[in-house]
Amino acid sequence: MNKVMSNKKVIAMYIAPALFLVLALIYVPIVQTGYFGLMKWNGIGDMEFIGLKNYSHLINDPLFWKSALHSFLLAVFSALSLIGYLFISIILAGKIRGANLLRKIYLIPMLLASVAIAQLWLKIYHPTNGILNTVLISLGVDNPPAWLAESNLALYAIIVPIIWQYAGFYILIYYAALKNIPESLIEAARIDGATPLQIALKIKLPLIMNVIKVTIVLAVVGSLKYFDLIYVMTDGGPNGSSEVMASYMYHKAFKGFDFGYGSAIGFFLLVICLVVTFIISKLTETKNDTY
């Protein structure tokens, strides 16, 4: 077997199918998107080469930068939510009673489709029959807000179900990482008189720091390109108050039939995600990291 696997032709044969799929489904579409961004095209007729006009228009488009701000706000809240997920994971990994049941409860949102989650939260946020406003009225609030219909609340109302949707995913990752920490280290710290807080901060967190870095990248980049739940709940409204970069790209390309400009937005979004990933990697880099 070692002789066969050292054969370069055999290695190439095994790699070729996966490499072909990666090229065909990822890299070729990326190149095409950048190419279409140089065109004026409605998606059906002939293309007209216009150079960098779409990108120039993008830079000077206030609606795009408004949607970019919303995406960055979503990314910030998603990154901050990781603190809560990590805290819950530390508690669940501490052998508390009912930990197995709680893990299953946190995983439930992962089993639901984004459309189903959107429909659920639309019912919760319903201005007259929703659970949230019903509770507020019972507590004495006379005029509870229409959460998804008010420009100053819509984006933040949507951020809540997005954070809830991915809670189980990140809790599961942190829980698995914490369970891989040798119990002997924890016991030695307890014998030396370390408190639970000191164990968490001085032992557990440093040992899973690489996992935390990965989740930060996943949360931030995933938020920057988020689309589905926002599209179902508000479609970017009201008046663009919950528009994000991905939904703005969709509206321009598939509703405005400006596929050239939509492609420019998509390619620019890719560049932003790469830059943000690089910045996060540099900010979280430590002396022990090897590349």
Side-chain angles (χ1 to χ4, degrees):
M1 179 59 102
N2 290 335
K3 183 178 179 180
V4 172
M5 294 308 298
S6 62
N7 190 318
K8 293 183 179 179
K9 292 182 179 180
V10 174
I11 295 173
M13 183 179 67
Y14 279 108
I15 293 176
L19 181 61
F20 173 77
L21 289 175
V22 170
L23 290 173
L25 299 178
I26 298 178
Y27 291 103
V28 171
I30 289 174
V31 173
Q32 284 184 322
T33 301
Y35 173 73
F36 292 152
L38 302 174
M39 304 292 174
K40 182 179 180 181
W41 184 40
N42 62 5
I44 300 175
D46 296 332
M47 299 184 194
E48 178 186 349
F49 181 77
I50 57 174
L52 297 176
K53 287 185 179 180
N54 282 327
Y55 295 97
S56 176
H57 177 48
L58 174 66
I59 293 174
N60 296 289
D61 185 356
L63 294 179
F64 169 76
W65 291 111
K66 181 180 179 181
S67 67
L69 175 61
H70 296 160
S71 292
F72 277 105
L73 283 174
L74 175 57
V76 169
F77 279 100
S78 297
L80 291 176
S81 69
L82 295 178
I83 300 174
Y85 302 151
L86 182 57
F87 178 74
I88 293 172
S89 301
I90 292 174
I91 294 176
L92 292 178
K95 298 180 180 180
I96 66 168
R97 181 178 298 179
N100 290 331
L101 176 61
L102 289 174
R103 286 204 310 274
K104 293 179 176 65
I105 292 174
Y106 287 126
L107 287 174
I108 288 176
M110 291 180 61
L111 306 178
L112 302 176
S114 294
V115 174
I117 292 175
Q119 292 299 323
L120 171 65
W121 282 87
L122 282 172
K123 300 297 188 295
I124 293 174
Y125 284 137
H126 194 281
T128 56
N129 301 321
I131 297 174
L132 180 57
N133 279 1
T134 300
V135 172
L136 291 176
I137 291 173
S138 67
L139 293 175
V141 179
D142 295 329
N143 297 305
W147 299 95
L148 300 177
E150 298 186 13
S151 298
N152 60 331
L153 292 176
L155 178 65
Y156 301 100
I158 290 179
I159 287 175
V160 173
I162 293 174
I163 291 175
W164 176 77
Q165 179 183 12
Y166 289 100
F169 174 73
Y170 292 109
I171 289 173
L172 182 62
I173 291 177
Y174 289 145
Y175 178 83
L178 289 167
K179 279 299 184 180
N180 281 329
I181 297 176
E183 188 64 28
S184 58
L185 294 178
I186 309 298
E187 289 298 329
R190 290 197 184 104
I191 293 173
D192 289 339
T195 64
L197 180 60
Q198 290 174 327
I199 292 173
L201 296 178
K202 301 295 185 179
I203 297 177
K204 293 182 178 181
L205 289 185
L207 289 176
I208 66 168
M209 187 55 63
N210 287 332
V211 175
I212 294 174
K213 293 176 186 178
V214 172
T215 57
I216 292 173
V217 173
L218 290 175
V220 172
V221 174
S223 299
L224 291 177
K225 58 188 183 66
Y226 197 83
F227 171 76
D228 45 3
L229 193 142
I230 291 174
Y231 173 72
V232 176
M233 292 186 69
T234 63
D235 196 22
N239 298 321
S241 60
S242 61
E243 192 87 88
V244 292
M245 287 187 285
S247 63
Y248 188 64
M249 174 187 65
Y250 172 82
H251 289 142
K252 284 297 182 180
F254 294 96
K255 290 189 174 181
F257 296 101
D258 191 349
F259 280 82
Y261 189 51
S263 297
I265 296 173
F267 193 78
F268 194 71
L269 177 56
L270 170 66
V271 173
I272 290 176
C273 290
L274 290 175
V275 170
V276 170
T277 302
F278 176 78
I279 292 173
I280 293 174
S281 299
K282 286 298 181 182
L283 291 177
T284 57
E285 184 178 343
T286 62
K287 295 180 179 179
N288 295 327
D289 291 334
T290 57
Y291 299 92

